[in-house]
Structures are given as structure tokens and as C-alpha cells.
Amino acid sequence: MKLKKSLVLIIAILLLDQISKFYIKTNFFYGEEVVVFDWFRIHFIENNGMAWGAEFGGKAGKLFLTIFRLFAITGIGYWLYTSIIKKSNTVLIVAISLIFAGALGNIIDSVFYGVIFDTPSNGIATFLPNEPYGKLFFGKVVDMLYFPIWSGDLPSWLPIWGGKPFTFFNAIFNVADTAISTGVGLLIFFNKKAFPKEELTA
């Protein structure tokens, strides 16, 4: 797979990711939900960028996470470039391209969204407002894809969680997260193709 094809894939994912986030941010109230199917909904939330909306260390932790991501994506970009130069397996290059695009998509939110959007408590966000909600490097990641495939009470005989309400799958994510997960999945399920023995021993 050549560099040009990799760039086309990355740009396509970035456009889809950012257009979807921009649309949700400027057309949905925070927490608003649209039911597409019983098992698929558009649900607008934001988080500081960690998986499952986890947070740590307040503003310092948020800044550390954003800076760490910038270093990480530099490493991923170098990995992608060297893999293309070495003419590695297409599966590997596609996987790295997906991971790179997804990581970059969420980094754009974290770095810039705090200064290009506001977040009114009872309104829809404005693009390039007079009073943005944050500062550079302190933006929140926009999520909207929700797949509550099954909801109900767990069997009472289960330890700890028995009888309690449960939703599968209750994570809310975005196009960038999907790209990262797909890339990682390709590396796991097609490990032998992505990392053939001749490359590992070279």
C-alpha cells in the first residue's frame, strides 16, 4: 500500500469524524438523543478524552493527556511512514492508518474545541463564539454513537451484579474511536499477516 492511498484513507476518516462532530456540536443540545433504531441511537455527550469518560488529575491531568497524545501520534506517524517505506503488508499499513486517523481526530477536539466552541447550559453550541468554553489544549471530545443492543435486569443468580439493570453496549463513542478500534482489531485478528515472520526476524 502506497503513501498516497494511506493519506486518502486518513483524510477520509478525519473528514467524516470532524464533520459528524461539528454537526452534532452545532445542532444538538447536550444530552439530546435521536433514536435511529432500538439498538442504535445518536446521543450527544462530551468527555475529556479518556476511555469511558474517565478523568484524572483535573486540569493538569487533562493537559498531560493531550500532550501525551501529541507525542504518541508522532510515534504512530513515524511507524506508519517506515512501514510504507519498507513496503510492509497492506493489513499493517491500513491498521496503522486507521489508528493514526482516529487518534488525530480526537486530538483535534482536545487541542482546539475549547477555543472554537462554547457550551451553553440550555442551548446549542456556537462555532467561533465570543466566549469559548475553554482554552487551547483543554477541549472536550465529542461523542455521539450509541449502540444499546440489549437492556434489562441481569439474572438474580449472578454474583455482585445479579438483579441489577444492565445495558450492552453502553459506551458512547465517535468515528475516531471506531477507526482506532478497527485498526487495533485488524492487528489482533490478522496478526500473522500484519507481522510476517520474515519482517520480525529482519
Side-chain angles (χ1 to χ4, degrees), residues 78-157:
Y78 179 75
W79 183 23
L80 175 60
Y81 177 75
T82 55
S83 296
I84 293 173
I85 294 299
K86 293 177 181 178
K87 297 181 179 179
S88 297
N89 188 278
T90 299
V91 172
L92 177 63
I93 296 174
V94 169
I96 302 173
S97 298
L98 289 170
I99 294 169
F100 180 87
L104 184 56
N106 283 336
I107 284 174
I108 291 173
D109 295 31
S110 295
V111 174
F112 298 110
Y113 274 29
V115 295
I116 65 173
F117 288 112
D118 59 5
T119 305
S121 57
N122 294 304
I124 294 174
T126 304
F127 179 60
L128 297 179
N130 293 326
E131 297 183 7
Y133 72 80
K135 298 179 180 180
L136 201 66
F137 293 100
F138 287 93
K140 294 183 178 180
V141 176
V142 175
D143 292 326
M144 78 292 290
L145 304 177
Y146 181 35
F147 290 86
I149 297 172
W150 181 85
S151 295
D153 293 334
L154 293 173
S156 58
W157 50 264

Side-chain angles (χ1 to χ4, degrees), residues 169-186:
F169 173 68
N170 69 343
I172 302 174
F173 53 100
N174 55 44
V175 174
D177 297 329
T178 304
I180 294 172
S181 299
T182 303
V184 172
L186 287 174

Side-chain angles (χ1 to χ4, degrees), residues 6-26:
S6 174
L7 288 175
V8 169
L9 177 60
I10 290 169
I11 291 170
I13 292 170
L14 276 177
L15 286 175
L16 183 59
D17 178 64
Q18 290 300 310
I19 289 171
S20 63
K21 289 173 176 175
F22 187 94
Y23 178 81
I24 293 296
K25 185 74 175 164
T26 57

